[in-house]
Amino acid sequence: MAASLAPFAAAEARLNASVLRRLSNATATWQGGQPFGVILEMEQGPEYVPGAPITAERRTVSLAVTSCPGIAEEAVGLVVNGVAYRVASAVVPDATGWAVISVMEE
C-alpha cells in the first residue's frame, strides 16, 4: 500500500469546512456557480483630508480558493450577498487553500 503524500489532507479539509460553517457571515457565488460561505469584512480607512467626512472603505473577502477556480486579480464574477465584486488584489492562498482578497464593488 502506497503512503499518502498528504496524510492529513482529508482531516484538514474537514476542519476548514467546519470553521467556515461557524465563522462565515456572508454567502458568495463564483461566476454563477453554487453558493458557499465566506467572511466579508468592511472597514473605514483614514480620512483623505483631516477633518473632512470623506474616507476610503476597504472590503476583504476570506474564502477557500477551491470554491473559485481560476480566481485572480482583476477577475469579475464574485457575488457576495447579492453584490457583484471585482478582485482588487493578488490571490495568494496559504498552505490550507485559504485566501484573503481585497474586492471592489462593480
Side-chain angles (χ1 to χ4, degrees):
M1 176 166 73
S4 172
L5 294 177
F8 299 105
E12 183 176 64
R14 286 192 306 275
L15 178 62
N16 285 343
S18 177
V19 168
L20 188 55
R21 281 191 302 273
R22 301 268 187 230
L23 298 179
S24 65
N25 64 357
T27 302
T29 60
W30 172 243
Q31 297 181 338
Q34 292 296 311
F36 55 94
V38 298
I39 300 169
L40 174 65
E41 295 182 328
M42 295 182 261
E43 66 180 45
Q44 288 296 114
E47 296 176 338
Y48 285 121
V49 178
I54 301 170
T55 64
E57 183 178 78
R58 181 172 185 234
R59 296 178 188 199
T60 59
V61 176
S62 301
L63 50 75
V65 294
T66 55
S67 300
C68 306
I71 193 167
E73 188 171 1
E74 296 299 320
V76 294
L78 181 64
V79 177
V80 181
N81 288 348
V83 178
Y85 290 97
R86 173 182 298 275
V87 178
S89 67
V91 178
V92 183
D94 64 14
T96 66
W98 193 260
V100 178
I101 58 174
S102 293
V103 294
M104 293 175 23
E105 194 171 325
E106 284 274 288

Coordinates of all heavy atoms in Angstrom, one line a residue:
M1 N 0.8 -1.2 0.0 CA 0.0 0.0 0.0 C 0.9 1.2 0.0 O 1.8 1.4 0.8 CB -0.9 0.0 1.2 CG -1.8 1.2 1.4 SD -3.1 1.0 2.6 CE -2.3 1.0 4.1
A2 N 0.6 2.2 -0.9 CA 1.4 3.4 -1.0 C 1.0 4.4 0.1 O -0.2 4.6 0.3 CB 1.3 4.0 -2.4
A3 N 2.0 5.0 0.6 CA 1.7 6.1 1.7 C 1.2 7.3 1.0 O 1.7 7.7 -0.1 CB 3.0 6.3 2.5
S4 N 0.3 8.0 1.6 CA -0.2 9.3 1.1 C 0.8 10.4 1.3 O 1.5 10.4 2.3 CB -1.5 9.6 1.8 OG -1.9 10.9 1.4
L5 N 0.9 11.2 0.3 CA 1.9 12.4 0.4 C 1.3 13.4 1.3 O 2.0 14.2 1.9 CB 2.1 13.0 -1.0 CG 2.9 12.1 -2.0 CD1 3.0 12.8 -3.3 CD2 4.2 11.7 -1.4
A6 N 0.0 13.4 1.5 CA -0.6 14.4 2.4 C -1.6 13.6 3.4 O -2.8 13.6 3.2 CB -1.4 15.4 1.6
P7 N -1.0 12.9 4.4 CA -1.9 12.0 5.2 C -3.0 12.8 5.9 O -4.0 12.2 6.3 CB -0.9 11.4 6.1 CG 0.3 12.3 6.2 CD 0.3 12.9 4.8
F8 N -2.8 14.1 6.2 CA -3.8 14.8 7.0 C -4.7 15.7 6.1 O -5.4 16.5 6.6 CB -3.1 15.6 8.0 CG -2.4 14.8 9.0 CD1 -1.0 14.7 9.0 CD2 -3.0 14.0 10.0 CE1 -0.3 13.9 9.9 CE2 -2.4 13.2 10.8 CZ -1.0 13.1 10.8
A9 N -4.6 15.6 4.8 CA -5.3 16.5 3.9 C -6.8 16.4 4.1 O -7.5 17.4 4.1 CB -4.9 16.2 2.4
A10 N -7.3 15.2 4.2 CA -8.8 15.0 4.4 C -9.2 15.6 5.7 O -10.3 16.3 5.8 CB -9.2 13.5 4.3
A11 N -8.5 15.4 6.8 CA -8.8 16.0 8.1 C -8.7 17.5 8.0 O -9.6 18.2 8.6 CB -7.9 15.5 9.1
E12 N -7.7 18.0 7.3 CA -7.6 19.5 7.2 C -8.8 20.1 6.4 O -9.3 21.1 6.8 CB -6.3 19.8 6.5 CG -6.0 21.3 6.3 CD -4.7 21.5 5.7 OE1 -4.5 21.1 4.5 OE2 -3.8 22.1 6.4
A13 N -9.2 19.4 5.4 CA -10.4 19.8 4.6 C -11.6 19.9 5.4 O -12.4 20.8 5.4 CB -10.6 19.0 3.3
R14 N -11.8 18.8 6.3 CA -13.0 18.8 7.1 C -12.9 19.9 8.2 O -13.9 20.5 8.5 CB -13.1 17.4 7.8 CG -13.6 16.3 6.9 CD -13.9 15.0 7.7 NE -12.9 14.6 8.6 CZ -11.9 13.8 8.2 NH1 -11.8 13.3 7.0 NH2 -10.9 13.4 9.1
L15 N -11.8 20.1 8.7 CA -11.6 21.2 9.7 C -11.9 22.6 9.1 O -12.6 23.4 9.6 CB -10.2 21.2 10.3 CG -9.9 22.3 11.3 CD1 -10.8 22.2 12.5 CD2 -8.4 22.2 11.7
N16 N -11.3 22.8 7.9 CA -11.6 24.1 7.2 C -13.1 24.3 6.9 O -13.6 25.4 7.1 CB -10.8 24.2 5.9 CG -9.4 24.4 6.1 OD1 -8.9 24.9 7.1 ND2 -8.6 24.2 5.0
A17 N -13.8 23.2 6.5 CA -15.2 23.3 6.2 C -16.0 23.6 7.5 O -16.9 24.4 7.5 CB -15.7 22.0 5.6
S18 N -15.6 23.0 8.6 CA -16.2 23.2 9.9 C -16.0 24.7 10.4 O -17.0 25.3 10.8 CB -15.7 22.2 10.9 OG -16.3 22.5 12.2
V19 N -14.8 25.2 10.3 CA -14.5 26.5 10.6 C -15.3 27.5 9.8 O -15.9 28.5 10.3 CB -13.0 26.8 10.5 CG1 -12.7 28.3 10.6 CG2 -12.2 26.1 11.6
L20 N -15.4 27.3 8.5 CA -16.2 28.2 7.6 C -17.6 28.2 8.0 O -18.3 29.2 8.0 CB -15.9 27.7 6.2 CG -16.5 28.7 5.1 CD1 -16.0 30.1 5.3 CD2 -16.2 28.2 3.8
R21 N -18.2 27.0 8.3 CA -19.6 27.0 8.7 C -19.9 27.8 9.9 O -20.9 28.4 10.0 CB -20.1 25.5 8.9 CG -20.4 24.7 7.6 CD -21.0 23.4 7.9 NE -20.3 22.5 8.8 CZ -19.3 21.7 8.4 NH1 -19.1 21.6 7.1 NH2 -18.7 20.9 9.2
R22 N -18.9 27.8 10.8 CA -19.1 28.6 12.1 C -18.8 30.1 11.9 O -19.5 30.9 12.6 CB -18.2 28.0 13.2 CG -18.4 26.6 13.5 CD -19.3 26.4 14.6 NE -19.4 25.0 15.0 CZ -20.5 24.3 15.1 NH1 -21.6 24.9 14.9 NH2 -20.5 23.1 15.5
L23 N -17.9 30.4 11.1 CA -17.4 31.8 11.0 C -18.0 32.6 9.9 O -17.9 33.9 9.9 CB -15.9 31.9 11.0 CG -15.2 31.3 12.2 CD1 -13.7 31.4 12.0 CD2 -15.6 32.0 13.5
S24 N -18.5 32.0 8.8 CA -18.9 32.7 7.7 C -20.0 33.7 8.0 O -20.9 33.3 8.8 CB -19.3 31.8 6.5 OG -20.4 31.0 6.9
N25 N -20.0 34.9 7.5 CA -21.0 35.9 7.7 C -21.7 36.3 6.4 O -22.5 37.3 6.4 CB -20.4 37.1 8.5 CG -19.4 37.8 7.7 OD1 -19.0 37.4 6.6 ND2 -18.9 38.9 8.2
A26 N -21.3 35.7 5.3 CA -21.9 36.0 4.0 C -21.9 34.8 3.1 O -21.2 33.8 3.4 CB -21.1 37.2 3.4
T27 N -22.7 34.9 2.1 CA -22.8 33.8 1.1 C -22.4 34.4 -0.3 O -22.8 35.5 -0.6 CB -24.3 33.3 1.0 OG1 -24.7 32.8 2.3 CG2 -24.4 32.2 0.0
A28 N -21.5 33.6 -0.9 CA -21.0 34.1 -2.2 C -21.2 33.0 -3.3 O -21.5 31.9 -3.0 CB -19.5 34.3 -2.1
T29 N -21.1 33.5 -4.5 CA -21.1 32.6 -5.7 C -20.0 33.1 -6.6 O -19.6 34.2 -6.6 CB -22.4 32.6 -6.5 OG1 -22.7 33.9 -7.0 CG2 -23.6 32.1 -5.7
W30 N -19.4 32.1 -7.3 CA -18.3 32.4 -8.3 C -18.8 32.1 -9.7 O -19.1 31.0 -10.0 CB -17.1 31.7 -7.9 CG -16.0 31.8 -8.9 CD1 -15.4 30.7 -9.6 CD2 -15.2 32.9 -9.3 NE1 -14.4 31.2 -10.4 CE2 -14.3 32.5 -10.2 CE3 -15.3 34.3 -8.9 CZ2 -13.4 33.5 -10.8 CZ3 -14.4 35.2 -9.5 CH2 -13.5 34.8 -10.4
Q31 N -18.9 33.1 -10.5 CA -19.3 33.0 -11.9 C -20.5 32.2 -12.1 O -20.6 31.3 -12.9 CB -18.1 32.5 -12.7 CG -16.9 33.4 -12.7 CD -15.7 33.0 -13.5 OE1 -15.6 31.8 -13.8 NE2 -14.9 33.9 -13.9
G32 N -21.5 32.4 -11.2 CA -22.8 31.8 -11.3 C -22.9 30.4 -10.7 O -23.9 29.7 -10.9
G33 N -21.8 29.9 -10.1 CA -21.8 28.6 -9.5 C -22.6 28.4 -8.2 O -23.4 29.3 -7.9
Q34 N -22.3 27.3 -7.5 CA -23.0 27.0 -6.3 C -22.6 28.0 -5.2 O -21.5 28.4 -5.1 CB -22.7 25.6 -5.9 CG -23.2 24.5 -6.8 CD -24.8 24.5 -6.8 OE1 -25.4 24.6 -5.7 NE2 -25.4 24.6 -7.9
P35 N -23.5 28.3 -4.3 CA -23.2 29.2 -3.2 C -22.3 28.6 -2.2 O -22.3 27.4 -2.0 CB -24.6 29.6 -2.6 CG -25.6 28.7 -3.2 CD -25.0 28.0 -4.4
F36 N -21.5 29.4 -1.5 CA -20.6 28.9 -0.5 C -20.4 30.0 0.5 O -20.6 31.2 0.2 CB -19.2 28.4 -1.1 CG -18.5 29.5 -1.9 CD1 -17.6 30.3 -1.4 CD2 -18.8 29.6 -3.3 CE1 -16.9 31.3 -2.1 CE2 -18.2 30.6 -4.1 CZ -17.3 31.4 -3.5
G37 N -20.0 29.7 1.7 CA -19.8 30.7 2.8 C -18.4 31.4 2.7 O -17.4 30.8 2.3
V38 N -18.4 32.7 3.0 CA -17.2 33.5 3.0 C -17.3 34.4 4.3 O -18.3 34.5 4.9 CB -17.1 34.3 1.8 CG1 -16.9 33.5 0.5 CG2 -18.2 35.3 1.6
I39 N -16.2 35.0 4.5 CA -16.1 36.0 5.6 C -15.9 37.4 4.9 O -14.9 37.6 4.3 CB -15.0 35.7 6.6 CG1 -15.2 34.4 7.3 CG2 -14.9 36.8 7.7 CD1 -14.0 33.9 8.1
L40 N -16.9 38.2 5.0 CA -16.8 39.6 4.4 C -16.5 40.6 5.5 O -17.2 40.6 6.5 CB -18.2 39.9 3.7 CG -18.3 41.3 3.2 CD1 -17.3 41.5 2.0 CD2 -19.7 41.6 2.7
E41 N -15.5 41.3 5.3 CA -15.1 42.4 6.3 C -15.1 43.7 5.6 O -14.6 43.8 4.4 CB -13.8 42.1 6.9 CG -13.8 40.8 7.8 CD -12.5 40.5 8.4 OE1 -11.4 40.9 7.9 OE2 -12.5 40.0 9.5
M42 N -15.6 44.7 6.2 CA -15.6 46.1 5.7 C -15.1 47.0 6.8 O -15.5 46.9 8.0 CB -17.0 46.5 5.3 CG -17.6 45.8 4.2 SD -19.2 46.3 3.7 CE -20.2 45.1 4.5
E43 N -14.1 47.8 6.5 CA -13.6 48.8 7.4 C -13.3 50.1 6.8 O -13.0 50.2 5.6 CB -12.3 48.2 8.1 CG -11.1 48.1 7.1 CD -9.8 47.6 7.7 OE1 -9.9 46.6 8.5 OE2 -8.8 48.2 7.5
Q44 N -13.5 51.1 7.6 CA -13.3 52.5 7.1 C -11.8 52.8 7.2 O -11.1 52.5 8.2 CB -14.0 53.5 8.0 CG -15.5 53.5 7.8 CD -15.9 53.9 6.4 OE1 -16.5 53.2 5.7 NE2 -15.7 55.2 6.1
G45 N -11.3 53.4 6.1 CA -9.9 53.8 6.1 C -9.7 55.2 6.7 O -10.6 55.8 7.2
P46 N -8.5 55.7 6.6 CA -8.2 57.0 7.2 C -8.9 58.1 6.4 O -9.2 57.9 5.2 CB -6.7 57.1 7.1 CG -6.3 56.2 6.0 CD -7.3 55.1 6.0
E47 N -9.0 59.3 7.0 CA -9.6 60.4 6.2 C -8.6 60.8 5.1 O -7.4 60.8 5.4 CB -9.8 61.6 7.2 CG -10.8 61.3 8.3 CD -11.0 62.5 9.3 OE1 -10.0 63.2 9.4 OE2 -12.0 62.5 9.9
Y48 N -9.2 61.2 4.0 CA -8.3 61.7 2.9 C -7.8 63.1 3.3 O -6.6 63.4 3.0 CB -9.1 61.8 1.6 CG -9.3 60.5 0.9 CD1 -10.6 60.0 0.7 CD2 -8.3 59.7 0.6 CE1 -10.9 58.8 0.1 CE2 -8.5 58.4 0.0 CZ -9.8 58.0 -0.3 OH -10.0 56.8 -0.9
V49 N -8.6 63.9 3.8 CA -8.3 65.2 4.3 C -8.7 65.3 5.7 O -9.8 65.1 6.1 CB -9.0 66.3 3.4 CG1 -8.6 67.7 3.9 CG2 -8.6 66.2 2.0
P50 N -7.7 65.6 6.6 CA -8.1 65.7 8.1 C -9.3 66.6 8.3 O -9.4 67.7 7.8 CB -6.8 66.3 8.7 CG -5.7 65.8 7.8 CD -6.3 65.9 6.4
G51 N -10.3 66.1 9.0 CA -11.5 66.9 9.3 C -12.6 66.8 8.3 O -13.7 67.1 8.5
A52 N -12.3 66.2 7.1 CA -13.3 66.0 6.0 C -14.0 64.7 6.2 O -13.5 63.8 6.8 CB -12.6 66.1 4.7
P53 N -15.3 64.6 5.8 CA -16.0 63.4 6.0 C -15.8 62.3 5.0 O -16.5 61.3 5.0 CB -17.5 63.9 5.9 CG -17.4 65.1 5.0 CD -16.1 65.7 5.3
I54 N -14.8 62.5 4.1 CA -14.5 61.5 3.1 C -13.4 60.6 3.5 O -12.3 60.9 3.9 CB -14.0 62.3 1.8 CG1 -15.1 63.3 1.3 CG2 -13.7 61.3 0.7 CD1 -14.6 64.2 0.2
T55 N -13.8 59.3 3.5 CA -12.8 58.2 3.8 C -12.9 57.1 2.8 O -13.8 57.1 1.9 CB -13.2 57.6 5.2 OG1 -14.4 57.0 5.1 CG2 -13.2 58.6 6.3
A56 N -12.0 56.2 2.9 CA -12.0 55.1 2.0 C -12.5 53.9 2.7 O -12.1 53.6 3.9 CB -10.6 54.8 1.5
E57 N -13.4 53.1 2.1 CA -13.9 51.9 2.7 C -13.2 50.7 2.1 O -13.1 50.6 0.8 CB -15.4 51.7 2.5 CG -16.0 50.5 3.2 CD -17.5 50.4 3.0 OE1 -17.9 50.0 1.9 OE2 -18.2 50.8 4.0
R58 N -12.6 49.9 2.9 CA -11.8 48.7 2.4 C -12.7 47.5 2.6 O -13.2 47.3 3.8 CB -10.5 48.6 3.1 CG -9.7 47.4 2.6 CD -8.3 47.4 3.2 NE -7.5 46.4 2.6 CZ -6.9 45.5 3.3 NH1 -6.9 45.5 4.6 NH2 -6.2 44.5 2.7
R59 N -12.8 46.6 1.6 CA -13.6 45.4 1.7 C -12.7 44.2 1.4 O -12.0 44.2 0.4 CB -14.8 45.4 0.8 CG -15.8 46.5 1.1 CD -16.9 46.5 0.2 NE -17.7 47.6 0.5 CZ -19.0 47.8 0.1 NH1 -19.6 46.8 -0.6 NH2 -19.7 48.9 0.3
T60 N -12.7 43.2 2.3 CA -12.0 42.0 2.0 C -12.9 40.8 2.2 O -13.9 40.8 2.9 CB -10.8 41.8 3.0 OG1 -11.3 41.8 4.3 CG2 -9.8 42.9 2.9
V61 N -12.6 39.8 1.4 CA -13.3 38.5 1.4 C -12.3 37.4 1.7 O -11.3 37.3 1.0 CB -14.1 38.3 0.1 CG1 -14.8 36.9 0.1 CG2 -15.1 39.4 -0.2
S62 N -12.6 36.6 2.8 CA -11.8 35.4 3.1 C -12.6 34.2 2.6 O -13.8 34.1 2.8 CB -11.6 35.3 4.6 OG -11.0 36.5 5.1
L63 N -11.9 33.4 1.8 CA -12.5 32.3 1.2 C -11.6 31.1 0.9 O -10.4 31.3 0.8 CB -13.3 32.7 -0.1 CG -12.5 33.5 -1.2 CD1 -11.5 32.7 -2.0 CD2 -13.5 34.2 -2.1
A64 N -12.1 30.0 0.6 CA -11.4 28.8 0.2 C -11.3 28.9 -1.4 O -12.3 28.9 -2.0 CB -12.0 27.5 0.6
V65 N -10.1 29.0 -1.9 CA -9.9 29.2 -3.3 C -10.4 28.0 -4.1 O -10.7 28.2 -5.3 CB -8.5 29.5 -3.7 CG1 -8.0 30.9 -3.2 CG2 -7.5 28.5 -3.3
T66 N -10.6 26.9 -3.5 CA -11.2 25.7 -4.3 C -12.6 26.0 -4.7 O -13.1 25.4 -5.6 CB -11.1 24.4 -3.4 OG1 -11.8 24.7 -2.2 CG2 -9.7 24.0 -3.2
S67 N -13.3 27.0 -4.0 CA -14.6 27.3 -4.3 C -14.7 28.3 -5.5 O -15.8 28.5 -6.1 CB -15.3 28.1 -3.1 OG -15.3 27.2 -2.0
C68 N -13.5 28.8 -5.9 CA -13.5 29.8 -7.0 C -12.4 29.4 -8.0 O -11.3 30.1 -8.1 CB -13.2 31.2 -6.4 SG -14.3 31.7 -5.2
P69 N -12.5 28.4 -8.8 CA -11.5 28.0 -9.7 C -11.1 29.1 -10.7 O -12.0 29.7 -11.3 CB -12.0 26.8 -10.5 CG -13.4 26.6 -10.0 CD -13.7 27.5 -8.9
G70 N -9.9 29.5 -10.8 CA -9.4 30.5 -11.7 C -9.5 31.9 -11.2 O -9.2 32.9 -11.9
I71 N -9.9 32.1 -9.9 CA -10.0 33.4 -9.4 C -8.6 34.1 -9.4 O -7.6 33.4 -9.0 CB -10.6 33.5 -8.0 CG1 -11.0 34.9 -7.6 CG2 -9.7 32.8 -6.9 CD1 -11.9 35.0 -6.4
A72 N -8.5 35.3 -9.8 CA -7.2 36.0 -9.9 C -7.5 37.5 -9.8 O -8.6 38.0 -9.9 CB -6.5 35.7 -11.2
E73 N -6.4 38.3 -9.6 CA -6.5 39.7 -9.6 C -7.2 40.3 -10.8 O -7.0 39.8 -11.9 CB -5.2 40.4 -9.4 CG -5.2 41.9 -9.2 CD -3.8 42.4 -8.8 OE1 -2.8 41.7 -8.8 OE2 -3.8 43.6 -8.6
E74 N -8.1 41.2 -10.6 CA -8.9 41.9 -11.7 C -10.1 41.0 -12.2 O -10.8 41.4 -13.1 CB -8.1 42.3 -12.9 CG -7.1 43.4 -12.5 CD -7.8 44.7 -12.0 OE1 -8.8 45.1 -12.5 OE2 -7.3 45.3 -11.0
A75 N -10.2 39.8 -11.7 CA -11.3 38.9 -12.1 C -12.7 39.4 -11.7 O -12.8 40.1 -10.7 CB -11.1 37.5 -11.5
V76 N -13.7 39.2 -12.5 CA -15.1 39.5 -12.1 C -15.8 38.2 -12.0 O -15.4 37.2 -12.5 CB -15.7 40.4 -13.2 CG1 -15.0 41.8 -13.2 CG2 -15.7 39.8 -14.6
G77 N -17.0 38.3 -11.4 CA -17.8 37.1 -11.2 C -18.0 36.6 -9.8 O -18.7 35.7 -9.5
L78 N -17.4 37.4 -8.8 CA -17.6 37.1 -7.4 C -18.8 37.9 -6.9 O -18.8 39.1 -7.0 CB -16.4 37.4 -6.6 CG -16.5 37.1 -5.1 CD1 -16.6 35.6 -4.9 CD2 -15.2 37.6 -4.4
V79 N -19.8 37.2 -6.5 CA -21.0 37.9 -5.9 C -21.2 37.5 -4.5 O -21.2 36.3 -4.2 CB -22.3 37.5 -6.7 CG1 -23.5 38.2 -6.1 CG2 -22.1 37.9 -8.2
V80 N -21.2 38.5 -3.6 CA -21.3 38.3 -2.2 C -22.6 39.0 -1.7 O -22.7 40.2 -1.8 CB -20.1 38.8 -1.4 CG1 -20.2 38.5 0.1 CG2 -18.8 38.2 -2.0
N81 N -23.4 38.2 -1.1 CA -24.7 38.7 -0.6 C -25.5 39.5 -1.6 O -26.0 40.6 -1.3 CB -24.5 39.5 0.7 CG -24.2 38.7 1.9 OD1 -24.3 37.4 1.8 ND2 -23.8 39.3 3.0
G82 N -25.4 39.1 -2.9 CA -26.1 39.7 -4.0 C -25.4 40.9 -4.6 O -25.9 41.6 -5.5
V83 N -24.2 41.3 -4.1 CA -23.4 42.4 -4.7 C -22.3 41.9 -5.5 O -21.5 41.0 -5.0 CB -22.9 43.3 -3.5 CG1 -22.1 44.5 -4.1 CG2 -24.1 43.8 -2.7
A84 N -22.1 42.4 -6.7 CA -21.0 41.9 -7.6 C -19.7 42.7 -7.3 O -19.8 43.9 -7.0 CB -21.4 42.2 -9.1
Y85 N -18.6 41.9 -7.2 CA -17.3 42.5 -6.9 C -16.3 42.1 -7.9 O -16.4 41.1 -8.6 CB -16.8 42.0 -5.5 CG -17.6 42.5 -4.3 CD1 -18.6 41.8 -3.8 CD2 -17.3 43.8 -3.8 CE1 -19.3 42.3 -2.7 CE2 -18.0 44.3 -2.7 CZ -19.0 43.5 -2.2 OH -19.7 44.0 -1.1
R86 N -15.3 43.0 -8.0 CA -14.1 42.7 -8.8 C -13.0 42.5 -7.9 O -12.9 43.1 -6.8 CB -13.7 43.9 -9.7 CG -12.4 43.8 -10.4 CD -12.1 45.1 -11.2 NE -13.1 45.4 -12.2 CZ -13.1 44.8 -13.5 NH1 -12.1 44.0 -13.8 NH2 -14.1 45.1 -14.3
V87 N -12.1 41.5 -8.1 CA -11.0 41.2 -7.3 C -10.0 42.3 -7.4 O -9.5 42.6 -8.5 CB -10.4 39.8 -7.6 CG1 -9.2 39.5 -6.7 CG2 -11.4 38.7 -7.5
A88 N -9.6 42.9 -6.3 CA -8.7 44.1 -6.4 C -7.3 43.8 -5.8 O -6.5 44.8 -5.7 CB -9.4 45.2 -5.6
S89 N -7.0 42.6 -5.6 CA -5.6 42.3 -5.1 C -5.2 40.9 -5.6 O -6.0 40.2 -6.2 CB -5.6 42.2 -3.5 OG -6.4 41.1 -3.1
A90 N -3.9 40.6 -5.4 CA -3.5 39.3 -5.8 C -4.1 38.3 -4.9 O -4.5 38.5 -3.8 CB -1.9 39.2 -5.6
V91 N -4.4 37.1 -5.5 CA -5.0 36.0 -4.8 C -3.9 35.0 -4.4 O -3.3 34.3 -5.3 CB -6.1 35.3 -5.6 CG1 -6.7 34.1 -4.9 CG2 -7.1 36.3 -6.0
V92 N -3.5 35.0 -3.2 CA -2.4 34.2 -2.7 C -2.8 33.3 -1.6 O -2.9 33.7 -0.4 CB -1.2 35.1 -2.2 CG1 0.0 34.2 -1.8 CG2 -0.8 36.1 -3.3
P93 N -3.2 32.1 -1.9 CA -3.7 31.2 -0.9 C -2.6 30.7 0.0 O -1.4 30.6 -0.4 CB -4.3 30.0 -1.7 CG -3.7 30.0 -3.0 CD -3.3 31.5 -3.2
D94 N -3.0 30.4 1.3 CA -2.0 29.9 2.2 C -1.9 28.4 2.0 O -2.5 27.8 1.1 CB -2.3 30.3 3.7 CG -3.6 29.7 4.2 OD1 -4.2 28.8 3.5 OD2 -4.1 30.1 5.2
A95 N -1.2 27.7 2.9 CA -1.0 26.2 2.7 C -2.3 25.4 2.8 O -2.4 24.3 2.3 CB 0.0 25.7 3.7
T96 N -3.3 26.0 3.4 CA -4.6 25.3 3.5 C -5.6 25.6 2.4 O -6.7 25.1 2.3 CB -5.3 25.6 4.8 OG1 -5.7 27.0 4.8 CG2 -4.4 25.3 6.0
G97 N -5.2 26.5 1.4 CA -6.0 26.9 0.3 C -6.9 28.0 0.6 O -7.9 28.3 -0.1
W98 N -6.7 28.7 1.7 CA -7.5 29.9 2.2 C -6.8 31.2 1.7 O -5.6 31.3 1.8 CB -7.6 29.8 3.7 CG -8.6 30.7 4.3 CD1 -8.4 31.9 4.8 CD2 -10.0 30.5 4.4 NE1 -9.6 32.4 5.3 CE2 -10.6 31.6 5.0 CE3 -10.8 29.4 4.0 CZ2 -11.9 31.6 5.3 CZ3 -12.2 29.5 4.2 CH2 -12.7 30.6 4.9
A99 N -7.6 32.1 1.3 CA -7.0 33.4 0.8 C -7.9 34.6 1.3 O -9.1 34.4 1.5 CB -6.9 33.5 -0.7
V100 N -7.3 35.7 1.6 CA -8.0 36.9 2.0 C -7.7 37.9 0.8 O -6.5 38.2 0.5 CB -7.4 37.5 3.3 CG1 -8.2 38.8 3.6 CG2 -7.6 36.5 4.4
I101 N -8.8 38.3 0.1 CA -8.6 39.2 -1.0 C -9.3 40.5 -0.9 O -10.4 40.5 -0.2 CB -9.1 38.5 -2.3 CG1 -10.6 38.0 -2.2 CG2 -8.2 37.3 -2.7 CD1 -11.2 37.5 -3.5
S102 N -8.8 41.5 -1.4 CA -9.4 42.8 -1.4 C -10.4 42.8 -2.6 O -10.0 42.3 -3.7 CB -8.4 44.0 -1.6 OG -7.7 44.0 -0.4
V103 N -11.6 43.4 -2.5 CA -12.5 43.5 -3.5 C -13.1 44.9 -3.7 O -13.1 45.7 -2.7 CB -13.7 42.5 -3.3 CG1 -13.2 41.0 -3.4 CG2 -14.4 42.7 -2.0
M104 N -13.6 45.2 -4.9 CA -14.2 46.5 -5.2 C -15.6 46.2 -5.8 O -15.7 45.3 -6.6 CB -13.4 47.3 -6.2 CG -12.1 47.7 -5.7 SD -11.0 48.6 -6.9 CE -12.2 49.2 -8.2
E105 N -16.6 46.9 -5.3 CA -17.9 46.7 -5.8 C -17.9 47.1 -7.3 O -17.3 48.1 -7.7 CB -18.9 47.6 -5.0 CG -20.3 47.3 -5.3 CD -21.3 48.0 -4.3 OE1 -20.9 48.2 -3.2 OE2 -22.4 48.3 -4.8
E106 N -18.6 46.3 -8.1 CA -18.7 46.5 -9.6 C -19.7 47.7 -9.8 O -20.7 47.8 -9.2 CB -19.2 45.3 -10.3 CG -18.1 44.2 -10.4 CD -17.2 44.4 -11.6 OE1 -17.7 44.2 -12.7 OE2 -16.1 44.9 -11.4

